[in-house]
Amino acid sequence: MSLTTQQPPAAAPKNVNRLGLTMADYKGAESTLCAGCGHDAITSQIIKAFYEYGVEPHRVAKLSGIGCSSKTPAYFLSKSHGFNGVHGRMPAIATGVMLANKSLISIGVSGDGDTASIGMGQFVHLLRRNVPMIYIIENNGVYGLTKGQFSATADLGSKAKSGVMNDLPAIDVCTMAIELGCNFVARSFAGDPKQMVALLKAALGHRGTAVFDVISPCVTFNNHEGSTKSYKYAKDHEELLHEISFVPFFEQITVDYSDGETSDVELHDGSHIRLRKTDKGYDPTNKGEALDTLRKCQELNEFLTGLIYINEMKPDFLTLLNMTDEPLATLPQERVQPKEDDLREIMAELM
Amino acid sequence: MPNQSPQVLVAEEEQRLNGGPVINDFSIQVATVNGSGSQSSNTVLMRSIFQMGIPVSGKNLFPSNIAGLPTWFTIRANRDGWIARRKEIDFLVAMNPETAREDVMNLDPNRVVVYEETLKLDQYRRDLAFFPVPFAKLATEITPDSRLRKLLANMIYVGVVSELLEIDPAETETALTKQFKGKAKAVALNKTALDIGSKFAKQTFDRTVVPYKCQRMNATKGKIIIDGNSAAALGCMFAGVTVATWYPITPSSSLCETLADYMKEYRIEKDGKANFAIVQAEDELAAVGMAIGAGWAGARSMTSTAGPGISLMQEFIGLGYYAEIPTVIFDITRVGPSTGLPTRTQQSDILSLAYASHGDTKHIVLVPASVEECFQMAYDAFDLAERFQTPVFVMSDLDLGMNNWMADPFKYPKEKFDRGKVLSADDLKRLGSFRRYADVDGDGIPYRTLPGTNHPAASYFTRGSGHNENAAYSERPDDYKRNMERLNKKYETARQHVPPPEIQYATGAKIGFLGFGTSHWAIIESLDQLQREYDTSVSYYRLRAVPFTKHLAEFFERHDRVYVVEQNRDGQMGMLIKLELPAELARKLRSIRHYSGIPIDARFVTDALLAAEKGGQN
Ligand SMILES: Cc1ncc(C[n+]2csc(CCOP(=O)(O)OP(=O)(O)O)c2C)c(N)n1
Ligand code: SF4
Ligand SMILES: [Mg+2]
């Protein structure tokens, strides 16, 4: 089965999205990162994805921990509130934000140090709870901001700029995320903007934690010969699962059964992702296959990119808490303060 | 200073005991092992006395263990309303073989012991009144189930004690029915045990030899009994808390647990949905992180913990302070460290709260002394946190948080919530723009917007301290300094908004007490002792919050010596006060410190003051 898309009849004017906003409306402050840093490439795709999807900027909360990667929320969506938290603890902040206002769209940006070392505990529990948010790991295998120490995602045998070899195994955040019950796990590469945009939009359509691991080379500390997170190494060892395109809920889809090479997954918000198979007919809704494929690739020193696992059937944390529909933050006093009679009743019980 | 010799005191005490029974002034101690189910029995006993109109307080001294270690529950009945811990035990119920001998040896002469017959405690002392009871045997009359028998033995002692102290059986029954409300079978079984106990005592003992009696009075009518954590939970609920995140730790767990119970009852909307979220976090870092995230997004948020949790929260607390984010943090203090005596009380987190985190930080700390204040200050804390856009602490302790206290019913808070300086989309339409960290009103408190506000000028980027008044990134020294000074100004403004102290100036007094939190109860009883026994007038300043108010210096000015009474080794509040007072006033500060992990008592305060005054007045 395959799908093709059609634009809505009244074509929107050029250079604005369905909200009438331009790409510039999604930009942020000037980046202060090193020229060529993978993180900046990701920032550009976030801007593009949010623009094309037509996300209302005021509904977005940009959250991060600490690191070069965690600085980037300042560089996109300046019309959204942002919160640069403490190192490795963005998940807690994100959880609190979403509890306070469930109508927000949270996007968290973290690094491999921020997530897989100091923040591992919080990351694990974020996934376990399935708090609705996009969680991006800008993965460069080093601590960029503290000048190049190995992180826990550095591959075994990867060489530091100083020549020191990493002799500990890497933590694979995608494998871990799937095992912890995460229902949207994707990986991409900062050098593949097209794939990144499609996956980011897919993440926007998902309800629950969407983990997006992006190999994002650190040009200053980890882009040399012997590094396994350099642009060159990543290009040479990328294993593409499928070609991916995204059909937003506000565009029409027509089904074309003639093409057996694509498959389609419907997202929570009614959008679709269309996967064009590479040679192996990968099914991202099959958890066992996802874990198997990840493991096989690791053994071959390759890294998988694409939508690795997706499950649109699982409830998110806020649904489980059975919270009222409006944001808790702005409920009026009459609704959150019990009545005088209630206090009287409680007091009588205690007499 | 007038002095009364110890001999006079002993004579008075003997007279108290010899001249007929002592009415409504005694302490009962029940020694059991924890996990034996004695808690309900002790509550029933305490409530029965309370229902007779006699002021009571109950304190549980328990081990850090689930079952099998010694536990002592002390009920103090006092016709004058003194409810601090009293050192002396008048009436011992010895149920724990392991501690029974020591429990008996510790008693003063002429006291009463009810005990399990087989323990043969009468062999140890000749100067006590012994009442042996075959608890185990009596329990077999009720049920063959051995586990149930153990539980029921506890209710049997309630029957025995009630009979000996002449507690009205109707009140005991009412208390029992309340305790097991809705569980008819438990009520019936326990009622049987209660009756067996009182019948046995009636048939076996001559209750006229018991030197203590309960006699109906009218001092508890309309009062409630509640623990401080439940009171604080109620304060939070009526303050409209919407996000509560926590991690279990003694002695704070019951705060959020009770909150959850109440919220399920009173904060579910008509459609069955909750207008709150309570989340048990994975640790205290996450708990406070969630609370701060929620506070940033505009919710009334809170967390509760004890000292070890406060240690873990340090980094986030600092961020909350610098980034100016409201949240409420309860610290129910206990002795340190984590692997210490988690079930013993202390007021020893004062400095770690007042200056929590790294860098230049200082915080608002509210210090309740009573369950009424647990309720009121929990409520106030949310207003203060949102008004000042900062984490606000409520510092209670194990004694207040976990023990049962008598109180007047809480007053319904009628005022409007103070949600602080939050700009809405309409405000922004009017103003055009806003500057997140500018001191527009001259009180150091800036304006904020909430994420989700639908106006292009609403957004700003929150980061620790590297920002200018527009919330733009800045590492400029002048920006940093200006911001720090504004934060300081905000703290100064807070002095006029925190709960002021309660001060009693005694006429002609040259010395004063300064106390806070649960020490209050020992201090006011000590004031009475000093007046009656030593004809000594002492003023009293009860501190209720940090930062201190203008009244503090005045109190020091008006006295020659001020004794700061606190429950920690190093005199932490004293240190904090010394930092603020000019040297000539700080010199007047003296310190009385109680730090055994057991609640402070009036006699300790009285004796310490007298010793210090005698020892030289410089
Ligand atoms: C509690 C704490 N410990 C240490 C640091 C120092 N620190 C800042 S960034 C960082 C590592 C960041 O690495 P990563 O998350 O991979 O981000 P990158 O800079 O590589 O994008 C460290 C250790 C800190 N800010 N806070
Ligand atoms: S140090 Fe590395 S990670 Fe940091 S900005 Fe430079 S290139 Fe990027
Ligand atoms: Mg990194």
Side-chain angles (χ1 to χ4, degrees):
Chain A
M1 189 179 85
S2 77
L3 308 158
T4 54
T5 68
Q6 272 181 2
Q7 290 298 318
K14 271 220 165 108
N15 301 329
V16 293
N17 63 9
R18 66 188 171 110
L19 303 175
L21 298 175
T22 65
M23 185 93 101
D25 291 319
Y26 291 82
K27 291 197 168 142
E30 195 75 43
S31 169
T32 59
L33 303 185
C34 309
C37 175
H39 302 348
D40 278 340
I42 302 171
T43 296
S44 306
Q45 300 323 310
I46 293 172
I47 292 169
K48 188 153 187 257
F50 276 60
Y51 162 72
E52 287 180 359
Y53 192 100
V55 178
E56 293 170 284
H58 77 270
R59 287 187 54 210
V60 177
K62 307 174 292 177
L63 311 167
S64 62
I66 295 182
C68 296
S69 36
S70 293
K71 287 183 174 194
T72 62
Y75 312 144
F76 58 82
L77 289 167
S78 62
K79 292 199 171 63
S80 307
H81 278 70
F83 191 171
N84 193 180
V86 292
H87 196 20
R89 320 291 174 197
M90 175 261 280
I93 293 179
T95 306
V97 168
M98 291 311 290
L99 292 174
N101 188 344
K102 63 199 281 190
S103 73
L104 294 175
I105 297 159
S106 274
I107 173 168
V109 180
S110 179
D112 42 318
D114 199 64
T115 291
S117 293
I118 194 167
M120 185 57 110
Q122 297 220 332
F123 179 59
V124 163
H125 287 276
L126 178 82
L127 299 180
R128 187 171 162 255
R129 292 195 181 97
N130 198 21
V131 176
M133 74 174 301
I134 300 174
Y135 189 103
I136 301 176
I137 303 154
E138 303 192 341
N139 191 347
N140 54 16
V142 287
Y143 294 174
L145 193 60
T146 51
K147 298 193 183 292
Q149 301 85 352
F150 279 127
S151 82
T153 66
D155 293 301
L156 186 68
S158 178
K159 220 188 263 160
K161 222 176 166 187
S162 62
V164 177
M165 189 94 96
N166 174 39
D167 47 17
L168 293 175
I171 291 174
D172 185 292
V173 285
C174 289
T175 307
M176 220 185 70
I178 295 172
E179 277 172 351
L180 287 163
C182 182
N183 299 303
F184 184 109
V185 180
R187 180 180 282 146
S188 190
F189 168 42
D192 189 348
K194 209 170 142 253
Q195 187 192 44
M196 244 194 300
V197 167
L199 287 170
L200 276 168
K201 288 191 219 161
L204 276 167
H206 177 72
R207 183 80 190 168
T209 314
V211 165
F212 192 24
D213 179 29
V214 188
I215 306 304
S216 174
C218 168
V219 291
T220 305
F221 297 111
N222 206 14
N223 199 32
H224 47 272
E225 184 72 33
S227 154
T228 61
K229 297 269 193 296
S230 64
Y231 276 112
K232 181 169 186 319
Y233 188 95
K235 258 192 209 104
D236 294 348
H237 293 78
E238 179 175 3
E239 182 65 29
L240 208 64
L241 275 175
H242 33 231
E243 272 171 35
I244 179 163
S245 48
F246 178 83
V247 187
F249 63 91
F250 50 85
E251 283 176 17
Q252 281 178 18
I253 306 164
T254 52
V255 184
D256 172 6
Y257 289 94
S258 66
D259 182 355
E261 288 304 298
T262 55
S263 66
D264 166 58
V265 182
E266 186 174 353
L267 295 166
H268 177 86
D269 72 345
S271 302
H272 286 73
I273 25 187
R274 193 168 71 167
L275 305 169
R276 177 169 292 278
K277 291 167 189 172
T278 54
D279 45 353
K280 24 184 167 344
Y282 181 77
D283 175 11
T285 63
N286 183 332
K287 200 179 215 171
E289 188 179 350
L291 288 168
D292 247 18
T293 314
L294 276 168
R295 189 178 43 78
K296 275 185 204 138
C297 272
Q298 272 159 37
E299 278 164 9
L300 297 169
N301 285 329
E302 280 168 344
F303 77 94
L304 270 189
T305 65
L307 181 64
I308 301 174
Y309 179 64
I310 184 162
N311 179 350
E312 287 299 275
M313 309 306 282
K314 289 286 165 65
D316 69 272
F317 189 52
L318 305 181
T319 308
L320 290 174
L321 285 173
N322 189 32
M323 278 155 50
T324 192
D325 299 332
E326 291 117 286
L328 297 181
T330 44
L331 291 176
Q333 181 164 353
E334 312 82 79
R335 261 174 84 180
V336 294
Q337 185 176 51
K339 303 281 164 282
E340 190 162 6
D341 278 347
D342 295 330
L343 184 62
R344 210 169 289 133
E345 176 182 281
I346 294 166
M347 290 298 110
E349 274 288 303
L350 297 166
M351 278 178 188
Chain B
M1 168 167 307
N3 248 328
Q4 207 164 357
S5 74
Q7 285 87 330
V8 177
L9 275 183
V10 171
E12 252 188 21
E13 188 66 12
E14 266 169 19
Q15 195 184 22
R16 195 175 90 104
L17 294 173
N18 295 336
V22 177
I23 309 294
N24 299 344
D25 183 14
F26 53 84
S27 326
I28 308 169
Q29 182 167 73
V30 182
T32 51
V33 287
N34 73 326
S36 66
S38 56
Q39 213 167 332
S40 322
S41 304
N42 296 333
T43 309
V44 170
L45 187 55
M46 178 173 163
R47 288 203 73 96
S48 315
I49 300 171
F50 169 78
Q51 285 162 206
M52 286 184 70
I54 307 162
V56 279
S57 59
K59 294 199 190 298
N60 194 13
L61 186 70
F62 60 107
S64 175
N65 164 275
I66 300 304
L69 286 185
T71 301
W72 293 268
F73 188 80
T74 312
I75 298 168
R76 179 178 185 184
N78 184 277
R79 57 173 180 254
D80 300 321
W82 302 124
I83 55 175
R85 184 177 78 90
R86 189 167 158 263
K87 245 185 300 205
E88 301 75 22
I89 302 301
D90 301 309
F91 196 119
L92 173 71
V93 181
M95 301 294 284
N96 181 3
E98 228 178 287
T99 62
R101 182 165 184 272
E102 204 187 335
D103 291 338
V104 164
M105 296 313 287
N106 283 341
L107 292 174
D108 288 345
N110 302 323
R111 269 38 184 199
V112 177
V113 186
V114 167
Y115 65 104
E116 164 59 46
E117 191 177 54
T118 51
L119 295 175
K120 298 202 177 17
L121 297 180
D122 52 344
Q123 63 183 304
Y124 301 122
R125 298 268 297 255
R126 303 251 157 265
D127 55 351
L128 302 173
F130 284 102
F131 296 91
V133 180
F135 287 109
K137 217 163 83 201
L138 290 174
T140 51
E141 287 175 25
I142 317 173
T143 169
D145 178 338
S146 69
R147 205 195 111 65
L148 208 54
R149 278 208 301 265
K150 266 204 194 114
L151 290 175
L152 292 172
N154 295 321
M155 204 51 78
I156 297 179
Y157 73 62
V158 177
V160 173
V161 174
S162 303
E163 173 63 25
L164 293 179
L165 286 174
E166 297 182 17
I167 296 172
D168 185 345
E171 298 299 358
T172 326
E173 196 175 330
T174 309
L176 187 147
T177 313
K178 190 179 177 83
Q179 181 68 22
F180 298 102
K181 197 177 142 199
K183 298 179 210 143
K185 228 178 112 191
V187 171
L189 263 177
N190 280 283
K191 177 76 179 55
T192 312
L194 190 70
D195 291 345
I196 285 179
S198 56
K199 201 172 105 202
F200 173 85
K202 198 176 283 177
Q203 290 170 351
T204 322
F205 305 132
D206 170 13
R207 75 177 184 187
T208 61
V209 306
V210 177
Y212 310 99
K213 292 289 169 239
C214 285
Q215 225 169 59
R216 194 170 282 283
M217 17 184 322
N218 197 16
T220 67
K221 193 150 182 279
K223 301 233 184 223
I224 59 165
I225 291 185
I226 191 172
D227 60 272
N229 284 350
S230 302
L234 285 172
C236 296
M237 178 164 81
F238 283 89
V241 66
T242 48
V243 177
T245 53
W246 66 293
Y247 187 75
I249 184 168
T250 305
S252 81
S253 298
S254 63
L255 202 164
C256 278
E257 283 170 336
T258 310
L259 177 67
D261 289 345
Y262 278 126
M263 298 282 261
K264 274 179 219 148
E265 182 118 13
Y266 293 100
R267 292 277 299 273
I268 302 287
E269 308 218 314
K270 283 200 190 74
D271 58 2
K273 290 190 174 166
N275 60 31
F276 63 90
I278 298 180
V279 175
Q280 185 185 318
E282 59 269 32
D283 55 31
E284 289 87 347
L285 280 79
V288 75
M290 290 177 195
I292 283 178
W296 178 77
R300 291 205 138 184
S301 70
M302 62 164 283
T303 181
S304 69
T305 188
I310 294 291
S311 295
L312 288 183
M313 292 176 181
Q314 294 290 310
E315 189 187 14
F316 254 131
I317 291 168
L319 179 68
Y321 172 82
Y322 281 96
E324 302 183 62
I325 296 166
T327 193
V328 175
I329 305 172
F330 288 87
D331 179 10
I332 317 301
T333 63
R334 62 182 221 191
V335 310
S338 327
T339 319
L341 298 176
T343 60
R344 295 299 145 84
T345 195
Q346 207 154 76
Q347 300 177 310
S348 49
D349 290 352
I350 298 154
L351 292 173
S352 61
L353 293 185
Y355 296 119
S357 202
H358 50 277
D360 278 326
T361 54
K362 43 188 179 180
H363 307 285
I364 297 172
V365 185
L366 309 185
V367 195
S370 62
V371 288
E372 287 103 324
E373 281 188 344
C374 286
F375 176 79
Q376 187 60 46
M377 289 186 181
Y379 181 90
D380 293 340
F382 289 91
D383 277 1
L384 286 168
E386 292 195 318
R387 166 68 23 195
F388 288 93
Q389 298 177 28
T390 195
V392 168
F393 294 99
V394 182
M395 182 179 76
S396 164
D397 66 15
L398 182 144
D399 184 20
L400 182 55
M402 289 187 74
N403 285 321
N404 280 320
W405 300 75
M406 220 175 59
D408 287 323
F410 304 153
K411 284 188 204 68
Y412 187 73
K414 290 215 160 84
E415 60 279 15
K416 259 191 90 53
F417 293 163
D418 181 357
R419 306 289 323 248
K421 300 185 187 179
V422 178
L423 297 175
S424 66
D426 285 340
D427 294 332
L428 290 167
K429 238 175 259 160
R430 196 163 37 80
L431 297 166
S433 67
F434 94 109
R435 300 200 297 149
R436 169 64 180 112
Y437 296 111
D439 184 9
V440 178
D441 303 325
D443 54 6
I445 309 168
Y447 284 81
R448 63 175 182 144
T449 55
L450 304 182
T453 305
N454 191 0
H455 190 280
S459 68
Y460 69 96
F461 199 84
T462 303
R463 40 169 89 77
S465 53
H467 58 73
N468 61 19
E469 290 181 336
N470 296 322
Y473 188 67
S474 167
E475 296 186 2
R476 292 173 58 102
D478 53 341
D479 281 336
Y480 180 80
K481 208 162 154 249
R482 188 178 313 119
N483 192 50
M484 292 309 287
E485 279 154 11
R486 184 182 51 75
L487 285 169
N488 206 32
K489 194 188 222 175
K490 189 162 93 165
Y491 186 80
E492 290 304 313
T493 305
R495 291 183 197 274
Q496 289 128 53
H497 291 80
V498 296
E502 277 183 356
I503 310 170
Q504 304 169 21
Y505 283 108
T507 20
K510 290 262 184 310
I511 53 175
F513 280 131
L514 187 150
F516 57 93
T518 49
S519 305
H520 169 69
W521 304 101
I523 294 170
I524 54 171
E525 191 178 345
S526 168
L527 287 173
D528 179 67
Q529 290 173 348
L530 287 162
Q531 195 67 64
R532 275 191 305 105
E533 298 169 13
Y534 301 94
D535 195 22
T536 299
S537 301
V538 182
S539 295
Y540 177 33
Y541 184 106
R542 185 165 71 84
L543 205 138
R544 301 202 300 155
V546 178
F548 306 134
T549 55
K550 59 177 194 295
H551 314 88
L552 184 72
E554 194 192 330
F555 189 76
F556 274 78
E557 269 156 20
R558 286 175 58 171
H559 296 93
D560 293 344
R561 290 172 297 286
V562 174
Y563 289 84
V564 177
V565 181
E566 49 188 317
Q567 300 179 62
N568 60 66
R569 185 194 63 189
D570 298 335
Q572 296 186 17
M573 190 64 88
M575 289 190 219
L576 208 56
I577 292 171
K578 275 187 184 163
L579 285 175
E580 283 227 0
L581 289 180
E584 72 276 13
L585 294 181
R587 259 192 290 114
K588 299 179 174 184
L589 191 149
R590 303 289 181 277
S591 183
I592 293 177
R593 307 164 193 184
H594 186 278
Y595 47 91
S596 62
I598 311 291
I600 190 171
D601 61 281
R603 189 58 65 187
F604 175 88
V605 177
T606 301
D607 290 351
L609 180 95
L610 292 174
E613 283 292 303
K614 212 164 148 189
Q617 313 188 338
N618 51 335

